[in-house]
Amino acid sequence: MSLEGNTEIKLEHVSKTFVDKKNMSYPVLKDICLEVKKQEFLVLLGAGRTGKTVLLELISGLDGEYEGTISFAGGQLETKDMGIVFQKYALFPWKTVLENVEMNQKFRGMEKEERIAKAKGYLKLVGLEGFENHYPHQISGGMKQRTAIARAFAGESDIMLLDEPFGALDAQTRWQMEEEVLRIWEEEKRTVIFVTNNIEEAIYLGDRIVLLEGSPAMIKKEYIPDMKRPRSYTDTRFLELRNEIGDDFALVL
Amino acid sequence: MSKAGRQLIKKILLGCLGVAMFLGIWQLLMTVGIISQRTMSTPGQVMETFLVKLSSPDPDGATVQEHFWSSLKLAMAGFFSAILVGIPMGLVMGYYRTARRLLNPVFEIIRPIPPIAWIPIVILFLGIGMPAKVFIVFMAAFVPCVINSYTGVKQTNPVYIQAAKTMGAGHWRIFTRVCIPSAVPMVFTGIRISLGSSWSTLVAAEMLASTNGLGYMIQMGRTMIRPDTIVVGMLVIGCTGALMSILLGRVEQHIAPWRD
C-alpha cells in the first residue's frame, strides 16, 4: 500500500496480545491507529505499563507478531532503518564512546575512515568531544544517554525512536537533555517518536502528543501544543495544557 | 608520598606480616611439641631442603626444578587444549540452539564426573605417560571453559542484541560482535577456574600414576617419611598456583580493559 506524500509511519488497527506458557492472554495494545508525519516530533505519553515500549518494538520490527498493519513511507511493510535510543542506554560496555557510535555504521558496512569521521561529527553534535576514548562506565548517566543518542543518529535513518530516554536521569540533567534533543533535532530533522510518562517533558518537546491509556492500551486523546520553541514551563498556554492533560491523565490512573 | 603509594606499602607490609604469622605459628607448634618433629619439619628445615633440592635429585630421582617443569608442561598442555576446544564449543552452544540441543545431553553427563575419576580408565587406555595426564587435565579444565562460555553468551543482555539488530546486524555479527565480547568476563572466570582445576588435578594424577612431577615428589616424600620434601612440594604447588592466578589477572586487564 502506498502512503500519502507526507506520512512516514502509518499504524492501522494495531493490536498486540502476549500469550504465556499456560495459554493465558494478556492484551497490551488494542486497535491503535496512528499516522506519523515526516520530520514530526511525536510524543507518546502514558503512565507506566501502558504498552509504550511494546508499541515501539512493533514499529521498529524488533517484535513482528501483532495484528493490524504498520507501513512506512514508500509502501514498505518492514524497515530496519531506524535509530533507537533505549531506556537504559544499551551502550556496549566493551566499546569506547567513539566505537559505540561508530558501531552503527560498522554494522551497515561503511568504510572505517568514513564512519569514524561521521561518529566524531555526531559526538561533537551531542557535546562529547574529548570523551571519545572513555568507556561507558567512566562517564555519567547524562553522557551515556548523549552517546546513545549520537549512536542512534549516526545510523542516519529517517526515523528515530526514543524510549523514555531520560527516565533514569536527575531532573537537572533531564532538562538539559530535553533542550539538547530539540537542538539536535532542529539541526538534523528526522521523524521522531519520543516515549515518556512525564507530561511536562511531552509538552516541552512534542509537535503532537498522543495519550495512551488503559489495559489494553488505546489512544485516548491527541494534543497539539501550538507554542513556539523554546517553550517555557511557566507560559500560560503551557500550564493550561499541562492541567488539561493532567486531568485526562488522572482519569487514566 | 601519594595516597596510592602508601596504600601499596601498607598492603605489602600486611601481606608479609600474614606470612610471618603463619610461619611463626607453625614454628611455635613444633617448638612446643604439639606437632612431633618426626612427622613434620620446621620452616627452617623446609627452606633448607628446598635449597638442597635445587641441585640434588635425592631422595626421589630429580631436582625440584625438573619436577616443576615436568608438571607445568603437562598442566599447560592440558589447560591450553581445553581452552582451545572448550571455549569455542561453549560459545557456539550458547548462541546456536541446534548445537546446544546436540551437545548438551552428552556434556551434562560428562560434567559431574570428577576429573580424577577418569584416571583408572585412562591408565588402561594410555598408560601413565604424558598423554594420559594431559587427557586428565584436559577433562578437568574443559568443563568450566564450556560452562562459563555458554552461560556468558546466554546471559548477554537482550537490550544489546536489540540495539545491534536496529543497527542492521545479522546473526553472525550479533554472535561475534555482541554476544562474544559481552561473554568475555564470564569466559575469563571460566579460564580462572580451569587453570586452578588443571593444576590441582595434575598433582592428583601424578600422585596416583607417575614417575615424575611435583605430585610424584610429594608422594615419594610420604613413602620415605620425608615431611620436608612433602612440604617443599606442597609450597611449590601453592606458589605456582598463586603466580598463575596473578598472571591471568594481568592478561585479563589487558584483554578486557572496560571492566572496573
Side-chain angles (χ1 to χ4, degrees), chain B residues 97-118:
Chain B
R97 199 171 51 189
T98 314
R100 179 158 63 241
R101 287 182 175 165
L102 179 73
L103 298 172
N104 212 23
V106 178
F107 181 73
E108 282 298 322
I109 293 167
I110 289 177
R111 194 168 70 95
I113 302 173
I116 46 173
W118 285 91

Side-chain angles (χ1 to χ4, degrees), chain A residues 10-72:
Chain A
K10 189 172 185 180
L11 282 74
E12 289 165 289
H13 310 289
V14 170
S15 301
K16 169 78 185 176
T17 301
F18 285 110
V19 180
D20 73 3
K21 282 178 182 164
K22 290 172 189 160
N23 254 332
M24 291 278 284
S25 301
Y26 301 94
V28 190
L29 296 168
K30 194 181 163 196
D31 203 28
I32 306 282
C33 296
L34 183 64
E35 272 186 52
V36 189
K37 291 187 217 54
K38 279 192 174 139
Q39 305 200 338
E40 179 178 17
F41 200 120
L42 180 90
V43 175
L44 281 179
L45 178 66
R49 307 173 55 82
T50 41
K52 306 185 295 288
T53 300
V54 176
L55 189 55
L56 280 197
E57 279 172 5
L58 301 187
I59 295 172
S60 67
L62 286 171
D63 185 345
E65 287 175 24
Y66 55 87
E67 292 156 52
T69 49
I70 301 177
S71 47
F72 298 91

